[in-house]
């Protein structure tokens, strides 16, 4: 039986205070399970990224609650929330948001320093190990503008996992990459998941979505349907793409 990791109850989000304002998120109930690679899909404007930000505490909600490992995050103080984001949550975005005047190694290590639980030497060693794992160690001393988009995104993934987060939130992580770089990034995320990392990813791309074992479809701020898949295998990719495409077509995607 799957173990629950994060749960959203009755999540609502409106960008207007009017009584009759339309909800971007309309009483969404969602549960993310430990070890899952969960994907959120939907048309443009369906509320995918808004839901991701609400679940991670990066954005406020109009109503509802989010519970992570049994704790309601809205009850946390600002310091406790900052600690939660630093230690338990990892973030990967379409744009890498790497610090421009820091090397890739320094960008990854800085995230480790935020926890203040290990020595600077241990953090630097882990950062170097992660860059090696992400196949970007050869560029560790380069600045973000001196590397390719794929290399920068792989460094961003290393930054996201340096503190052993319970859950990675990924918002269109391959949206700004070409096909080859997208595949490399998705391979890394798949490998992380196989090693037990829980991932929640928003994407509009079927090739990215098939990496998940569970796909949720969002429409007009509500979860309309979900599709369960087995763990990803490269030799099964085309079959998965067809299954997901057919499912999305049935939902008039």
């Amino acid at each position: 039986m799957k173990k629950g990791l994060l749960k959203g109850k009755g999540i609502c989000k409106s960008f207007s205070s009017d009584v009759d304002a339309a909800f971007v998120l309309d009483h969404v109930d969602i549960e993310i399970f430990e070890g899952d690679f969960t994907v959120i899909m939907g048309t443009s404007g369906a509320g995918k990224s808004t839901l991701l930000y609400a679940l991670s505490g990066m954005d406020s909600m109009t109503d509802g609650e989010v519970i992570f490992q049994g704790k309601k995050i809205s009850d946390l103080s600002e310091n406790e929330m900052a600690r939660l984001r630093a230690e338990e949550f990892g973030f990967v975005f379409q744009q890498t948001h790497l610090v421009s005047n820091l090397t890739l190694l320094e960008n990854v290590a800085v995230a480790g320093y935020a926890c203040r639980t290990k020595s600077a030497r241990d953090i630097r060693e882990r950062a170097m190990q992660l860059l090696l794992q992400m196949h970007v160690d050869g560029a560790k001393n380069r600045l973000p503008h001196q590397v390719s988009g794929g290399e920068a995104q792989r460094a961003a993934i290393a930054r996201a996992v340096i503190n052993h987060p319970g859950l990675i939130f990924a918002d269109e992580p391959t949206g700004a990459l070409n096909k080859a770089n997208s595949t490399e990034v998705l391979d890394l995320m798949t490998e992380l998941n196989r090693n037990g990392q829980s991932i929640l990813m928003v994407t509009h791309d079927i090739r990215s979505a098939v990496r998940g074992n569970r796909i949720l479809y969002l429409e007009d701020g509500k979860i309309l349907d979900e599709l369960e898949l087995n763990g990803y295998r490269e030799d099964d990719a085309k079959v998965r793409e067809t299954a997901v495409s057919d499912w999305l077509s049935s939902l008039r995607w």
Side-chain angles (χ1 to χ4, degrees), residues 65-114:
E65 61 183 29
V66 176
I67 300 168
F68 178 73
Q69 293 184 334
K71 295 181 180 179
K72 189 159 63 170
I73 67 174
S74 59
D75 290 342
L76 301 178
S77 67
E78 288 187 13
N79 287 339
E80 288 172 331
M81 193 66 227
R83 190 178 303 115
L84 179 71
R85 293 195 194 102
E87 298 179 3
E88 294 292 347
F89 293 164
F91 298 93
V92 183
F93 303 99
Q94 181 171 334
Q95 303 301 323
T96 62
H97 300 296
L98 296 175
V99 181
S100 62
N101 62 343
L102 297 181
T103 66
L104 298 192
L105 177 59
E106 291 167 339
N107 265 283
V108 176
V110 161
Y113 299 146

Side-chain angles (χ1 to χ4, degrees), residues 83-249:
R83 190 178 303 115
L84 179 71
R85 293 195 194 102
E87 298 179 3
E88 294 292 347
F89 293 164
F91 298 93
V92 183
F93 303 99
Q94 181 171 334
Q95 303 301 323
T96 62
H97 300 296
L98 296 175
V99 181
S100 62
N101 62 343
L102 297 181
T103 66
L104 298 192
L105 177 59
E106 291 167 339
N107 265 283
V108 176
V110 161
Y113 299 146
C115 281
R116 301 178 182 178
T117 56
K118 294 184 179 180
S119 70
R121 179 178 178 179
D122 287 344
I123 291 170
R124 186 178 177 85
E125 286 182 356
R126 174 159 169 77
M128 288 191 291
Q129 290 171 355
L130 285 170
L131 289 174
L132 176 62
Q133 181 183 347
M134 304 299 161
H135 313 299
V136 73
D137 56 303
K140 65 178 181 293
N141 293 320
R142 296 177 188 168
L143 298 174
H145 74 272
Q146 296 173 322
V147 302
S148 70
E151 288 172 323
Q153 190 63 293
R154 281 177 271 158
I157 294 173
R159 179 185 59 188
V161 301
I162 191 168
N163 295 322
H164 305 281
L167 180 60
I168 289 179
F169 295 89
D171 188 11
E172 299 280 7
T174 62
L177 303 178
N178 60 30
K179 183 176 179 180
N181 283 326
S182 294
T183 299
E184 288 186 358
V185 167
L186 291 169
D187 285 346
L188 289 172
M189 296 186 71
T190 300
E191 180 183 352
L192 288 171
N193 179 246
R194 284 173 179 159
N195 291 331
Q197 177 66 62
S198 306
I199 300 173
L200 176 59
M201 179 176 75
V202 163
T203 186
H204 68 278
D205 178 47
I206 292 177
R207 289 182 59 254
S208 299
V210 299
R211 298 302 183 111
N213 64 283
R214 181 183 179 217
I215 306 176
L216 307 177
Y217 187 82
L218 202 66
E219 182 175 276
D220 296 331
K222 297 180 179 179
I223 294 177
L224 184 64
D225 199 6
E226 70 174 84
L227 178 68
E228 293 275 354
L229 298 168
N230 294 321
Y232 177 82
R233 297 197 325 269
E234 188 174 353
D235 61 0
D236 194 35
K238 292 297 182 182
V239 174
R240 292 169 75 90
E241 286 182 25
T242 299
V244 173
S245 180
D246 290 346
W247 174 67
L248 291 171
S249 295

